[in-house]
Amino acid sequence: MTRNLVVAGFGGQGVMLLGQILALAATEKQLNATWLPSYGPEQRGGTANCTVVISDEEIGSPVVDKPMYTIIMNNPSMEKFEKMVEPNGTVILNSTLITMEPKRTDVNYLKVPANELAEQAGSQRSANMVMLGVIGWLWKDIFTLEELEQAMVEKVGDKRPQLVETNKKAIELGYEFAKNII
Amino acid sequence: MTRNLVVAGFGGQGVMLLGQILALAATEKQLNATWLPSYGPEQRGGTANCTVVISDEEIGSPVVDKPMYTIIMNNPSMEKFEKMVEPNGTVILNSTLITMEPKRTDVNYLKVPANELAEQAGSQRSANMVMLGVIGWLWKDIFTLEELEQAMVEKVGDKRPQLVETNKKAIELGYEFAKNII
Amino acid sequence: MSEQALKVVIDEELCKQCELCVAICPVHVLRISSKINSKGFHPAELFDNEKCISCGFCAMTCPERAIAVYKPEVEKA
Amino acid sequence: MSEQALKVVIDEELCKQCELCVAICPVHVLRISSKINSKGFHPAELFDNEKCISCGFCAMTCPERAIAVYKPEVEKA
Amino acid sequence: MSERILMKGNEAVGEAAVRAGCRLYFGYPITPASEIAEYMAYRLPQVGGTFIQAESELAASNMVYGAAAAGKYAMTASSSPGISLMQEALSYMAGAEVPGLFVDAVRGGPGLGDIQAAQSDYFQLTKGGGHGDYHLIVFAPYTIQEVINIMPIAFETAFKYRNPVVIAIDGLIGQMMEAVEFPYFVNPDEVPLPNWALSGKFRHGYKKNVNTSLELDPEKLEAINWRLQAKYHEIEEKEPRYDYVGVEAPETLVVAYGTVARVTMSALKKMLAEGKSIGLFRPITIWPFPGKALAQKAVNAKRIVVLEMSAGQMIEDVKLNVFDPNKEYEFHGHPGGTTFTPSEIEQILRG
Amino acid sequence: MSERILMKGNEAVGEAAVRAGCRLYFGYPITPASEIAEYMAYRLPQVGGTFIQAESELAASNMVYGAAAAGKYAMTASSSPGISLMQEALSYMAGAEVPGLFVDAVRGGPGLGDIQAAQSDYFQLTKGGGHGDYHLIVFAPYTIQEVINIMPIAFETAFKYRNPVVIAIDGLIGQMMEAVEFPYFVNPDEVPLPNWALSGKFRHGYKKNVNTSLELDPEKLEAINWRLQAKYHEIEEKEPRYDYVGVEAPETLVVAYGTVARVTMSALKKMLAEGKSIGLFRPITIWPFPGKALAQKAVNAKRIVVLEMSAGQMIEDVKLNVFDPNKEYEFHGHPGGTTFTPSEIEQILRG
Amino acid sequence: MKIVYERPKTLEKVVNHYCPGCHHGILHALIAEVLDEMKLADKTVGVAPVGCAVMAYNYLDIDWIEAPHGRAVAIATGIKLAHPDVLVFTYQGDGDAASIGLAETLYGAIRGVNVTTFMYNNAIYGMTGGQMAPTTLLGMKTTTSPYGRDPKREGYPVKMAETIALQDGTAFAARSALFNPRAITETKNHIKHAFELQMKGEGFTFIEVVGTCPTNWGMTPVEASEFAKNEMVKTYPLGIKKDVKGSETR
Amino acid sequence: MKIVYERPKTLEKVVNHYCPGCHHGILHALIAEVLDEMKLADKTVGVAPVGCAVMAYNYLDIDWIEAPHGRAVAIATGIKLAHPDVLVFTYQGDGDAASIGLAETLYGAIRGVNVTTFMYNNAIYGMTGGQMAPTTLLGMKTTTSPYGRDPKREGYPVKMAETIALQDGTAFAARSALFNPRAITETKNHIKHAFELQMKGEGFTFIEVVGTCPTNWGMTPVEASEFAKNEMVKTYPLGIKKDVKGSETR
Ligand SMILES: Cc1ncc(C[n+]2csc(CCOP(=O)(O)OP(=O)(O)O)c2C)c(N)n1
Ligand SMILES: Cc1ncc(C[n+]2csc(CCOP(=O)(O)OP(=O)(O)O)c2C)c(N)n1
Ligand code: SF4
Ligand code: SF4
Ligand code: SF4
Ligand code: SF4
Ligand code: SF4
Ligand code: SF4
Ligand SMILES: [Mg+2]
Ligand SMILES: [Mg+2]
């Protein structure tokens, strides 16, 4: 079993954290995982993305140019990453912010109103956690919802305990959303 | 025609100057000449030597390890350079200061009381010029006495005009000395 | 001079919403607007042209030099 | 104390004939000797032990620390 | 037993050094190595160690020089332009036989360049960026775990041969996260002070310690140099490290190290699964270069493919060691901080 | 017509630079290069030029960087440890495409070493002692006259390719005297200011000049690097220089440069006179290395003898370019500042 | 309408890369204003540092060079001696000018090179993400002084303006700031004065500018400006430290 | 006979390589005397420079390291942090400490490193044969200021003791000399005081020692000492520039 995923968006959208939580959850399960960040040439602001690879074997390249899954949080990232996804791969896009129309026919699109769901959970800033929930459903063969929440708490709990509850709710909303539309 | 010569002694004995004057005299005659200094590892004081090559052809190595001629001004240099001279070569030694006995049988020794003759000329410091006169006689096929004196004046005249006369006298004494004993 | 001529003109695309101009204005006539520019910033705006004394402090302080300031001529003449 | 005991002892092999000691001696009892050491220097020498006041200035000044200085004990006791 | 923790490469460099017994870090910030310094600034005080932010890379490298000459495990980390500024110190340390650990998080050059992962310091690190005949021992790990595994070896090797050691990584290894374990913890108090250490402690009996790279007598300096060369030859005999994945005597031999080797892995495994006659030779030490092993692996190879994130540097060592004009040498490079992608490599390997 | 004058090598370096049109010298003293600075300190004020004793080699090299970026012939001279300190500036200048002349009077290393003639900076100079993929153009003349002949070419080449140029000499060339002539005198006022020069003078029409080696976008930096590589390839095609003395297709091919080549001359001529099948291939540029010409000369050679005042550096380029395992490669070296003697070389060549 | 303030001509009309509220932008603008007023843009070369201002060359419409970290004054010296009639200034961070480049900066002063150096003192390494600078205040937490700068461990803040003023080749050395219109005006006066002295060949001119780094100080721009005004100036007192032409021209 | 003066034990009994009359030898001896008196030879590491004193390691019977040119204080910092209980001093020339090594030396003071630096100020580069030093007096001819040092061309003499004194991490900074017994005694007192401060962990201690270079000044040793006393001190006034424990211990 090997899964890989690219998460892309603006610097402030928490795409790095999303990836780290997945890598952490995998590590806790004694799976192998790599998390690889990539920042644009702008020193501040601008777009950012990270690549996560999870596997029960030794991981080859942490660099992935044809990801199986992508989570895309904004238009510029849609421009850049939509075309990279592997044929038959899955594109999870934040339909709240992405106005561009999907262009490919050989991949599966999953439109998630991430910011809206996050707002329901308590804060737009948890849109990344909604997406975590969505991936959680898609990868339920690997993780339970609890395992993902647990990893989130480990990552976030110490520094910003006040976010834990909102995040949990966001993860669950994402999970439910995915469950219902798939 | 190619001649080479090593001049060796203490730092203060003017061995470098002697070599430079020969190189200069050769250059003025449109011959080729190289002058190569070598200082001991001591930064100050200690022994020093220079190698002069004069030729009417293009000069190959300015480094000479088996010189045809050597002028040796003191005991430590005798130790080091006597053995290097080419078989049938000529060792001109300063008999005023060198107490060591010549060891080789395959070279010609020329003992010159350089300091004494220099004293006669006016200053012990002109011992190097005595040796220049000796070489002048040995290399009379190349230089006239006047040419050597001329080169000496060019080298020394500007900086220490007061030395010119003494030096001239020393060169002449050396020349005469060589002429008489050979 | 027409009443409408603005004393303070802010280039919204240059503005980075730092609020230094807002904080420095001695008569408090600047604020952050609800508009959004192409970089995602809400630019500053002048909300009371009348009260503005054209002191230029906002322009001097603006790190982006997004502000131009004008003074009505011969107003009191 | 014997009259002959030297107040100033110079290690001739260390001396470099710089003359700093000669110049500094307040009572002028040092000079450069006619001896020659293995490096070719003429070492300094004390030529009037009597007059030397054992002030130590020569030793302090000597860059080679070639000088040792002694003072007669209880001389005036 | 040590546990597996998800850790950033740069932090793992710091933690590995601490666990290897290093308590002295002297550094100057530079992307993408700054996180190593930052980790050490936070971590060393916890274990009674000292972190110093030096005024420059010149100062940092000379502080390492001093601390290592005093007999202690000491290190610095920097990136390409900073490493250029350390060349004098490195040449001195090699000449005076002082150990010391240098991490180079190689970035795109020349000049200020960019801050992305690169391998274009290969020549600088392996041929001697500084003056004179000397060598640095250079490890080029390809995963965070390998960085960790190498760390104690790096210090030990430095001290064993009294020679500076470099660990060459890049921003990709430094910034990625992966689960790692630290199977060691060396108590620095138990590392004996070598008897050449400057400290006054070995002076008893008037055998003072003097550390210098100066020898004004050329004959003596030549003798010292031949002695150093003998040491380097010994290192070339004993210390080359490499890894090989592939069929026994491949037709296509790929040579790559560090990040490039790791990116190659995916394509390689795919092709091996397809039964292709291919193999990846991965130098772990780039000096000493594992040339003999490489030549052996290359015996049957028709095609030798060298992949570097540079315009072509290691390829010279590959050719010098294989030294067979009847093979096809193929170079693919990315100078300037861009990285190979797995698909690109797959395409290259499929030829 | 120029007259023949007996001159010291180091002074000739200075005089040649002045006559080539250089009016800006920035230097820091170091044996055996100090005399170049001393000559310039005395000479430049006579011709309206400027001599600056910099606070360090870092400063000196960056002053050259600034002055050359301003479009002027500028230079410095140093020796091995000082050259190590210039590696960052050299990498930057190559990256930002700034010309500038550097003289390296190579001395024995590593570290402080000694002050005698050596050739152990070959790797540092030719492989890029600094970081990143770049090359310096390196001349290695073997007589004072050749230094003089090369000087204007060195400046022109630097400006033509906008790349730093090194003239590698050593204390032997620098301190010896020989009769030389200066067949040129360039008036610097007649050298036009290139349009990339920083000065404000080319700014009219809002096309300001910006000189930088920074490019944070890795794709763009890679493109810049490939462009630089194309330039280097062009230089490799057009600018290699060498000299050859010997029979047409020798059995024994000797490869040596600089001082070693000169010392070899005596023995070589003797053996040629004896009718031996021998030849001396002498690279005048050590980068670009005249590899094609060498390979051609080596076609019939059984034995290739490389002589260097180092522990063996150029030998790698010799092997890479001849690239034939069926020849015998023989290396003889003197690391540490000692020089070959003519008899020693004769003995080596006679086998 | 009379123009009270318009964007200076020499300031290129592009969005710079500085963080919102960073004072680097103010200092850029002041230099541009003075160049406009003195009509010098056609005979000026700027030297950009390695630091947040590394791309300053994109913002002022003059010739520029980007120097290696810390070597700006050496680069400037080379340019100035190549073209003695050209105005040359270096624009540097505190790390660039006072840490890695300390020797080069001081030698500008010792040698009395006719160039002007701006040192933007934000008490931090901005570009590399908030490490300690030589100017970091005692007690300040940075990524490399995570326990707060303790002089026993991390040494003392370096006082560049004073140290430069002590050197005999310095014509002008001052420390000013940008936290309010008065400080900004003062800084602009210094710039003009320094450029005038340079054009007259009086020697090295140096302006240490107390700025801000909202991003790495973890403050809003307004808070950062306040911090500069209330805290920074305690360690870095503003004022002219040396002026060879003080009485004449001011 | 009572001993007034005997060669210090820590001064090795070898002929040094200094020129006759050079004050380097006096400074060596004073350090040796203090080490003897304080019984520190067994816990001292000296850092030799590149300069005439490059082989100082042959003359004092303590552990030594020979640093790259100018980097002595950085080397010393590394040693001191490796062995905080050991006395560490650097012995440097003026070129070494104040030109190429200016940043490293100043950072000893800024950082307040517990080491002692001796800077032998002979206004020249002795080892390399008489080039200009940062400390060369105005008007002095050297091989690289052949027309006499002119501040417009060659800049100004650098005042290290004062510049070091200005830095907050400095515990002691003084300038003294060796041209007569009184100056020598004063220098020795400084050395002892500096070593004491170092052992107490008070910070950086710096002693600039005005010396001579008869060889490159073209003077006899006696003339050179006179020149130091009469001319050097005009540019380099002797005295204590800073002493954190001045009142207590002196
Ligand atoms: C030789 C070298 N060392 C280190 C760096 C990394 N670096 C880039 S900017 C910088 C410091 C910037 O701080 P400062 O000069 O204060 O400017 P600021 O960003 O705060 O404006 C450093 C250390 C580099 N590029 N080159
Ligand atoms: C990097 C480097 N640059 C230059 C030199 C050459 N060098 C040796 S000593 C010296 C200066 C010595 O002067 P100073 O420090 O004043 O000591 P002094 O000899 O006068 O006692 C120089 C420039 C060197 N060895 N290394
Ligand atoms: S010009 Fe003065 S009063 Fe008007 S908005 Fe700006 S700061 Fe306020
Ligand atoms: S100061 Fe400038 S950038 Fe900041 S909010 Fe006001 S207009 Fe915008
Ligand atoms: S001890 Fe004093 S009096 Fe005696 S010789 Fe020495 S200096 Fe002169
Ligand atoms: S001071 Fe010392 S070295 Fe100099 S002359 Fe006197 S004894 Fe000799
Ligand atoms: S990091 Fe700090 S100094 Fe740099 S641009 Fe941002 S706020 Fe300004
Ligand atoms: S050159 Fe000068 S400083 Fe050096 S040993 Fe000789 S006199 Fe002393
Ligand atoms: Mg800063
Ligand atoms: Mg000196």
Side-chain angles (χ1 to χ4, degrees), chain F residues 52-55 58 62-63 65-67 70 72 92 198-200 203-204 206 208-212, chain G residues 12 42 57 60-66 68 71 74-75 78-79 81-83 86 104 107 111:
Chain F
I52 294 281
Q53 182 169 320
E55 57 273 30
L58 268 87
N62 280 290
M63 288 172 184
Y65 187 173
K72 297 286 188 177
Y92 266 75
L198 304 176
S199 65
R203 184 173 155 277
H204 313 296
Y206 296 95
K208 67 183 184 184
N209 281 336
V210 173
N211 186 290
T212 182
Chain G
E12 308 240 11
D42 261 352
Y57 50 72
L60 259 59
D61 181 21
I62 52 172
D63 280 4
W64 278 99
I65 183 167
E66 192 287 305
R71 317 302 166 202
I75 294 270
I79 297 169
L81 292 171
H83 300 297
V86 163
E104 285 78 6
Y107 266 89
R111 202 173 277 122

Coordinates of all heavy atoms in Angstrom, one line a residue, chain F residues 52-55 58 62-63 65-67 70 72 92 198-200 203-204 206 208-212, chain G residues 12 42 57 60-66 68 71 74-75 78-79 81-83 86 104 107 111:
Chain F
I52 N 44.8 50.4 -3.6 CA 44.2 50.3 -2.3 C 44.7 49.1 -1.6 O 44.6 48.0 -2.1 CB 42.7 50.3 -2.4 CG1 42.1 51.5 -2.9 CG2 42.1 50.0 -1.0 CD1 42.0 52.7 -2.0
Q53 N 45.3 49.3 -0.4 CA 45.5 48.1 0.4 C 44.3 47.8 1.2 O 43.9 48.5 2.1 CB 46.7 48.3 1.4 CG 47.0 47.1 2.2 CD 48.3 47.2 2.9 OE1 49.3 47.7 2.4 NE2 48.3 46.7 4.2
A54 N 43.6 46.7 0.8 CA 42.4 46.3 1.4 C 42.6 45.8 2.8 O 43.7 45.5 3.2 CB 41.7 45.3 0.6
E55 N 41.6 45.7 3.6 CA 41.7 45.2 5.0 C 41.8 43.7 5.0 O 42.2 43.1 6.0 CB 40.5 45.6 5.8 CG 39.1 45.2 5.3 CD 38.5 46.3 4.3 OE1 39.3 46.9 3.6 OE2 37.3 46.4 4.3
L58 N 39.1 39.2 1.5 CA 37.6 39.3 1.2 C 37.3 40.6 0.6 O 36.6 40.8 -0.4 CB 36.8 39.1 2.5 CG 36.4 37.6 2.8 CD1 37.5 36.9 3.5 CD2 35.1 37.6 3.5
N62 N 36.2 41.7 -3.3 CA 34.9 42.4 -3.5 C 35.1 43.8 -4.0 O 34.2 44.3 -4.7 CB 34.1 42.4 -2.2 CG 33.4 41.1 -2.0 OD1 32.5 40.7 -2.7 ND2 33.9 40.3 -1.1
M63 N 36.2 44.4 -3.7 CA 36.5 45.7 -4.4 C 36.8 45.5 -5.9 O 36.3 46.3 -6.7 CB 37.8 46.4 -3.7 CG 37.5 46.9 -2.3 SD 39.1 47.4 -1.5 CE 38.5 47.8 0.1
Y65 N 35.5 43.2 -7.6 CA 34.1 42.9 -8.0 C 33.4 44.2 -8.3 O 32.8 44.4 -9.4 CB 33.4 42.1 -6.9 CG 32.0 41.5 -7.1 CD1 31.5 40.7 -6.1 CD2 31.2 41.8 -8.2 CE1 30.2 40.1 -6.2 CE2 29.9 41.2 -8.3 CZ 29.4 40.4 -7.3 OH 28.2 39.9 -7.4
G66 N 33.4 45.1 -7.4 CA 32.7 46.4 -7.6 C 33.3 47.2 -8.7 O 32.6 47.7 -9.6
A67 N 34.6 47.3 -8.8 CA 35.2 48.1 -9.8 C 35.0 47.5 -11.2 O 34.8 48.2 -12.2 CB 36.7 48.2 -9.5
A70 N 31.7 48.0 -12.4 CA 31.6 49.4 -12.9 C 32.2 49.6 -14.2 O 32.4 50.7 -14.7 CB 32.2 50.4 -11.8
K72 N 35.4 48.7 -15.3 CA 36.9 49.0 -15.4 C 37.7 47.7 -15.3 O 37.4 46.8 -14.6 CB 37.3 50.0 -14.3 CG 36.5 51.3 -14.4 CD 37.1 52.2 -15.6 CE 36.5 53.6 -15.5 NZ 37.0 54.4 -16.5
Y92 N 30.4 34.5 -6.8 CA 29.4 35.6 -7.1 C 29.7 36.2 -8.4 O 28.9 36.5 -9.2 CB 29.5 36.6 -6.0 CG 28.5 36.5 -4.9 CD1 28.7 35.5 -3.9 CD2 27.4 37.3 -4.8 CE1 27.8 35.4 -2.9 CE2 26.5 37.2 -3.8 CZ 26.7 36.3 -2.8 OH 25.8 36.1 -1.8
L198 N 28.1 49.6 -14.3 CA 27.4 50.4 -13.4 C 28.0 51.7 -13.2 O 29.2 51.8 -13.0 CB 27.4 49.7 -12.0 CG 26.9 48.3 -12.0 CD1 27.1 47.7 -10.6 CD2 25.4 48.2 -12.4
S199 N 27.3 52.8 -13.4 CA 27.8 54.1 -13.3 C 26.7 55.2 -13.4 O 27.0 56.4 -13.3 CB 28.8 54.3 -14.4 OG 28.1 54.3 -15.7
G200 N 25.5 54.7 -13.7 CA 24.5 55.7 -14.0 C 24.5 56.1 -15.5 O 23.5 56.6 -16.0
R203 N 21.9 54.7 -17.9 CA 20.6 54.6 -17.4 C 19.6 55.3 -18.3 O 18.4 55.0 -18.3 CB 20.5 55.1 -16.0 CG 19.2 55.0 -15.3 CD 19.3 55.4 -13.9 NE 18.0 55.8 -13.4 CZ 17.5 57.0 -13.6 NH1 18.1 57.9 -14.3 NH2 16.3 57.3 -13.1
H204 N 20.0 56.2 -19.1 CA 19.1 57.0 -19.9 C 18.1 56.2 -20.6 O 18.4 55.1 -21.2 CB 19.9 57.9 -20.9 CG 21.0 58.6 -20.2 ND1 20.9 59.5 -19.3 CD2 22.4 58.4 -20.4 CE1 22.1 59.9 -18.8 NE2 23.0 59.2 -19.5
Y206 N 15.6 54.9 -19.0 CA 15.1 54.0 -17.9 C 15.5 52.5 -18.1 O 14.9 51.6 -17.6 CB 13.5 54.1 -17.8 CG 13.1 55.4 -17.4 CD1 12.8 56.4 -18.4 CD2 13.2 55.8 -16.1 CE1 12.5 57.7 -18.0 CE2 12.9 57.1 -15.7 CZ 12.5 58.0 -16.6 OH 12.2 59.3 -16.3
K208 N 18.0 50.9 -16.5 CA 19.0 50.9 -15.5 C 19.8 49.6 -15.6 O 19.3 48.5 -16.0 CB 18.4 51.1 -14.1 CG 17.5 49.9 -13.7 CD 16.9 50.2 -12.3 CE 16.1 49.0 -11.8 NZ 15.4 49.3 -10.5
N209 N 21.0 49.6 -15.1 CA 21.8 48.4 -15.1 C 21.8 47.8 -13.7 O 21.9 48.5 -12.7 CB 23.3 48.7 -15.4 CG 23.5 48.9 -16.9 OD1 22.8 48.3 -17.7 ND2 24.6 49.6 -17.2
V210 N 21.5 46.5 -13.6 CA 21.4 45.8 -12.3 C 22.4 44.6 -12.4 O 22.3 43.8 -13.4 CB 20.0 45.4 -12.0 CG1 20.0 44.5 -10.7 CG2 19.1 46.6 -11.8
N211 N 23.2 44.5 -11.5 CA 24.1 43.4 -11.5 C 23.8 42.5 -10.3 O 23.9 43.0 -9.1 CB 25.6 43.9 -11.4 CG 26.6 42.7 -11.5 OD1 26.7 41.9 -10.6 ND2 27.3 42.7 -12.6
T212 N 23.4 41.3 -10.5 CA 23.1 40.4 -9.4 C 23.3 38.9 -9.7 O 23.3 38.6 -10.9 CB 21.6 40.6 -8.9 OG1 21.3 39.8 -7.8 CG2 20.6 40.2 -10.1
Chain G
E12 N 10.5 53.1 -8.1 CA 9.7 52.4 -9.2 C 8.3 52.0 -8.7 O 8.1 51.7 -7.6 CB 10.5 51.1 -9.5 CG 11.9 51.3 -9.9 CD 12.3 50.8 -11.3 OE1 11.4 50.6 -12.0 OE2 13.5 50.8 -11.5
D42 N 20.7 59.8 -12.2 CA 21.5 59.5 -13.4 C 23.0 59.3 -13.0 O 23.8 58.9 -13.9 CB 21.4 60.5 -14.4 CG 20.4 60.1 -15.5 OD1 19.9 59.0 -15.4 OD2 20.0 60.9 -16.3
Y57 N 17.2 46.5 -5.6 CA 17.4 47.0 -6.9 C 16.2 47.0 -7.8 O 16.2 47.6 -8.9 CB 18.5 46.1 -7.6 CG 18.4 44.6 -7.5 CD1 17.4 43.9 -8.3 CD2 19.2 43.9 -6.7 CE1 17.3 42.6 -8.2 CE2 19.1 42.5 -6.7 CZ 18.1 41.8 -7.4 OH 18.0 40.5 -7.4
L60 N 14.4 51.1 -6.7 CA 14.8 52.4 -7.0 C 15.4 52.4 -8.4 O 16.2 51.6 -8.8 CB 16.0 52.8 -6.0 CG 15.5 53.8 -4.9 CD1 14.4 53.1 -4.1 CD2 16.7 54.2 -4.0
D61 N 15.0 53.4 -9.2 CA 15.3 53.5 -10.6 C 16.7 54.1 -10.8 O 16.9 55.2 -11.3 CB 14.3 54.2 -11.4 CG 14.6 54.3 -12.9 OD1 15.4 53.4 -13.3 OD2 14.1 55.2 -13.5
I62 N 17.7 53.4 -10.3 CA 19.1 53.8 -10.5 C 19.9 52.5 -10.8 O 19.3 51.4 -10.8 CB 19.7 54.4 -9.2 CG1 19.4 53.4 -8.0 CG2 19.1 55.7 -8.9 CD1 20.1 53.8 -6.7
D63 N 21.2 52.6 -11.1 CA 22.0 51.4 -11.3 C 22.2 50.8 -10.0 O 22.4 51.5 -8.9 CB 23.4 51.8 -11.9 CG 23.3 52.0 -13.5 OD1 22.1 51.9 -14.0 OD2 24.3 52.2 -14.1
W64 N 22.3 49.5 -10.0 CA 22.4 48.7 -8.7 C 23.4 47.5 -8.9 O 23.5 47.0 -9.9 CB 21.1 48.1 -8.3 CG 20.1 49.0 -7.6 CD1 19.1 49.6 -8.2 CD2 20.1 49.3 -6.2 NE1 18.4 50.3 -7.2 CE2 18.9 50.1 -6.0 CE3 20.9 48.9 -5.1 CZ2 18.6 50.6 -4.7 CZ3 20.5 49.4 -3.8 CH2 19.4 50.2 -3.7
I65 N 23.9 47.1 -7.7 CA 24.6 45.9 -7.7 C 24.2 45.2 -6.4 O 24.0 45.9 -5.4 CB 26.2 46.0 -7.8 CG1 26.9 44.7 -7.8 CG2 26.7 46.9 -6.6 CD1 28.3 44.7 -8.2
E66 N 24.1 43.9 -6.4 CA 23.8 43.1 -5.2 C 25.1 42.5 -4.7 O 25.7 41.7 -5.4 CB 22.7 42.1 -5.6 CG 22.0 41.4 -4.5 CD 23.0 40.5 -3.8 OE1 23.5 39.6 -4.5 OE2 23.2 40.6 -2.6
P68 N 27.7 40.4 -2.1 CA 27.7 39.3 -1.2 C 27.5 39.8 0.2 O 27.7 41.0 0.6 CB 29.1 38.7 -1.3 CG 29.6 39.2 -2.6 CD 29.0 40.5 -2.8
R71 N 29.6 42.5 2.3 CA 30.7 43.1 1.6 C 30.3 44.3 0.8 O 31.0 44.8 0.0 CB 31.3 42.1 0.6 CG 31.5 40.7 1.1 CD 32.4 40.5 2.3 NE 32.2 39.2 2.9 CZ 32.5 38.9 4.2 NH1 32.9 39.8 5.0 NH2 32.3 37.7 4.6
A74 N 32.9 47.2 0.6 CA 34.0 46.8 -0.3 C 33.6 47.0 -1.7 O 34.3 47.6 -2.5 CB 34.5 45.4 0.0
I75 N 32.4 46.5 -2.0 CA 31.9 46.6 -3.4 C 31.8 48.1 -3.7 O 32.2 48.6 -4.8 CB 30.5 45.9 -3.5 CG1 30.7 44.4 -3.4 CG2 29.8 46.3 -4.8 CD1 30.9 43.6 -4.6
G78 N 35.1 49.7 -4.6 CA 35.5 49.4 -5.9 C 34.8 50.3 -6.9 O 35.4 50.9 -7.8
I79 N 33.5 50.5 -6.8 CA 32.7 51.3 -7.7 C 33.1 52.7 -7.6 O 33.3 53.4 -8.7 CB 31.2 51.2 -7.4 CG1 30.7 49.7 -7.6 CG2 30.4 52.1 -8.3 CD1 29.3 49.4 -7.1
L81 N 35.9 54.1 -6.7 CA 37.2 54.4 -7.2 C 37.2 54.3 -8.7 O 38.0 54.9 -9.4 CB 38.3 53.5 -6.5 CG 38.4 53.9 -5.1 CD1 39.3 52.9 -4.3 CD2 39.0 55.3 -4.9
A82 N 36.3 53.4 -9.3 CA 36.2 53.3 -10.7 C 35.5 54.6 -11.3 O 35.9 55.1 -12.4 CB 35.4 52.1 -11.1
H83 N 34.6 55.2 -10.5 CA 33.9 56.4 -11.0 C 33.7 57.4 -9.8 O 32.7 57.4 -9.2 CB 32.5 56.0 -11.5 CG 32.5 55.0 -12.6 ND1 33.0 55.3 -13.9 CD2 32.0 53.8 -12.7 CE1 32.9 54.3 -14.7 NE2 32.3 53.3 -14.0
V86 N 30.6 59.6 -9.2 CA 29.2 59.0 -9.1 C 28.9 58.9 -7.6 O 29.8 58.6 -6.8 CB 29.2 57.6 -9.8 CG1 28.1 56.7 -9.3 CG2 29.2 57.7 -11.3
E104 N 34.4 45.3 6.9 CA 34.2 46.1 5.7 C 33.6 47.4 6.0 O 34.0 48.4 5.5 CB 33.4 45.3 4.6 CG 34.1 44.2 4.0 CD 34.2 42.9 4.8 OE1 33.6 42.9 5.9 OE2 34.9 42.0 4.4
Y107 N 36.0 49.6 7.9 CA 37.0 50.1 7.0 C 36.6 51.2 6.0 O 37.4 52.0 5.5 CB 37.8 49.0 6.3 CG 39.0 48.6 7.2 CD1 38.9 47.7 8.2 CD2 40.2 49.3 7.0 CE1 40.0 47.4 9.0 CE2 41.3 49.1 7.8 CZ 41.2 48.1 8.8 OH 42.2 47.9 9.7
R111 N 39.1 54.1 6.4 CA 39.7 54.6 5.1 C 39.1 55.9 4.7 O 39.7 56.6 3.9 CB 39.5 53.5 4.1 CG 40.5 53.5 2.9 CD 40.3 52.3 2.0 NE 41.0 51.1 2.5 CZ 40.4 50.0 2.8 NH1 39.1 49.8 2.6 NH2 41.1 49.0 3.3

